[in-house]
Structure formats: structure tokens, C-alpha cells
Amino acid sequence: MFSVVVTGSNGGIGSAICSLFKSKGYFVVGIDSFDDKNSLDAFLKNDISKLVTDSELRDKFILKLESILINTKLKSLINNAAVQILSSLDTLNVDDFRNTLDTNVTAPLVLSKACYKELKANNGSIVNVGSIHSKLTKPGFISYATSKTALLGLTQAMAVDIGQYIRVNAIQPAATATEMLLDGFKADPNAYSNLKAFHPTKTIATPEEIANAVFFLASDQCQFMNGTI
């Protein structure tokens, strides 16, 4: 049975990704800092930023993940989890900045290393979920935009380094209609309409659209696609 590992599996985009892979017959392993809400095949409750700073926890986590995947063929790692801590330079907390980089950049590297052997054996792929903020950002997004720009660099560097064995690609969504985003606009529907107007299509993506893009990149339908953003 083919398997997939999805970080941030409880979020709007993460849930849509997990649902799509499950519908395609994959054994889905979710990773999130809160209890599983999607009844996945396997689940690891973990704050992935701790995998960066705690080597003992990291070793235990990797052993647990390997034991979960032992009777499956790992085809893809989806680095979807992220934190978004907003602040301008004058109020920015350096610890928040470092935690953002740990979660959004270094943890995907750690997980890519942890899954490398299995992904290589199964001609697998890595898909990193980035953000439009790596190219087009706005005030208050210093930590987040920096981390997503770094994730872009990590994607391209790994694609060159291991593309012979494991394809590495990324997507960079703009506004996506997750439950979290929609809740933020309940009190001001006009602001939501204005957000739509910023996009050339005059629409906002659905989590399912993002999941479809991720699934395509992760699948065997595009064996030549590597290092693509």
C-alpha cells in the first residue's frame, strides 16, 4: 500500500490534502500539534518545531514514524504545516522569528531527511506548501515572508541535490478559503470582497483546489517535474 505523510494535517488545507489522498487509497499519516480530527490511518501529535531543537525527541519521533510506515511504500511527504506570527520590525520578537524559521523551513528539512530512505526506495516526491508571501508580501509579515522565501530556496536546492531519486516541488498559494480565513472576515464581508478583487481571477482558492495541485505534484503523472514552484 502506498503511504503519504502530511504535516499540519488538522488545518484547512491539510485536511483537504489528507481527504484527497485517502479517497485515492493512500495510507495517510498526519502530523499536527493538536489531536487528530480527520480519523487518519495513523497520526503523530507533535510540534514539529521541537524536532529541530530537541535531538532526543527527534530520534524518538523518527523511530515512531518508521514503525508506522514499515508495511507501506512511502510515496510522498507533504510539508504543509506552518506558523504565521505577525509583527512589524519594531515589535518583532526574535524568538518568534526563530520559531517561525524552525517550523516553516528547518522542520521540513528534518522531515525530508527522516523520509529520505523510504522516498528514494519508492521513487517518491516531496511537496512543500509555500506562500505567495515569498514574492509579494505586505507590512507585518517579516517572519512569515522570510520563512516562505527560505522554503522556496530549500525546495530548489533539494530538487537539484536529490532530484535523481526524489522529485521536490512546491506550491505558493495566495488567499485560500480555509475556515480560519473565513472566520476572520465574518464581521466585515466587504473586506472579503476586497480580498477577492486583489486576485486577477477575482476569486479565492478553496482548500480542495490546493489539495488537487499537491496531489498532482506528488503523483507519478509528472515524473519530469522537479524543482518547480
Side-chain angles (χ1 to χ4, degrees):
M1 174 182 287
F2 287 145
S3 60
V4 59
V5 174
V6 182
T7 69
S9 57
N10 283 335
I13 292 175
S15 294
I17 292 170
C18 290
S19 177
L20 180 57
F21 274 94
K22 282 190 71 174
S23 73
K24 300 292 186 179
Y26 282 74
F27 182 91
V28 180
V29 182
I31 302 172
D32 205 289
S33 55
F34 299 98
D35 292 335
D36 177 32
K37 71 174 191 179
N38 294 310
S39 300
L40 300 179
D41 300 299
F43 183 80
L44 289 167
K45 183 178 179 179
N46 206 284
D47 177 349
I48 59 172
S49 70
K50 300 296 190 295
L51 301 178
V52 176
T53 58
D54 188 332
S55 60
E56 183 177 349
L57 175 66
R58 179 168 63 245
D59 291 342
K60 290 179 179 178
F61 175 90
I62 292 172
L63 286 174
K64 180 64 174 177
L65 180 60
E66 288 175 346
S67 69
I68 289 172
L69 296 171
I70 195 166
N71 292 318
T72 72
K73 293 182 178 181
L74 181 61
K75 285 296 287 183
S76 191
L77 165 66
I78 314 299
N79 286 310
N80 166 69
V83 294
Q84 186 183 89
I85 304 172
L86 304 184
S87 63
S88 294
L89 183 62
D90 58 337
T91 59
L92 187 148
N93 182 302
V94 175
D95 288 337
D96 287 342
F97 183 83
R98 292 183 64 180
N99 178 258
T100 301
L101 292 179
D102 284 347
T103 304
N104 297 2
V105 186
T106 314
L109 173 66
V110 169
L111 289 163
S112 296
K113 283 178 62 66
C115 294
Y116 174 79
K117 182 179 178 180
E118 288 300 316
L119 287 173
K120 180 180 178 181
N122 297 303
N123 192 32
S125 73
I126 296 169
V127 181
N128 294 323
V129 179
S131 169
I132 192 71
H133 280 277
S134 74
K135 294 296 184 183
L136 299 169
T137 193
K138 55 187 178 180
F141 280 76
I142 291 175
S143 298
Y144 186 72
T146 300
S147 72
K148 291 302 186 179
T149 303
L151 186 64
L152 167 61
L154 178 65
T155 300
Q156 294 174 326
M158 289 199 303
V160 171
D161 196 64
I162 62 173
Q164 177 180 358
Y165 311 109
I166 303 165
R167 294 181 303 103
V168 187
N169 296 289
I171 61 170
Q172 294 188 325
T176 304
T178 61
E179 184 177 341
M180 183 181 297
L181 182 138
L182 294 174
D183 283 346
F185 286 97
K186 281 182 177 177
D188 191 356
N190 288 331
Y192 187 73
S193 297
N194 290 338
L195 180 61
K196 284 185 176 182
F198 279 117
H199 300 81
T201 61
K202 308 304 179 187
T203 60
I204 290 176
T206 66
E208 291 72 24
E209 286 181 277
I210 305 302
N212 283 330
V214 169
F215 184 82
F216 173 71
L217 288 173
S219 74
D220 290 334
Q221 299 177 63
C222 49
Q223 285 296 303
F224 190 65
M225 192 170 288
N226 179 54
T228 296
I229 311 301

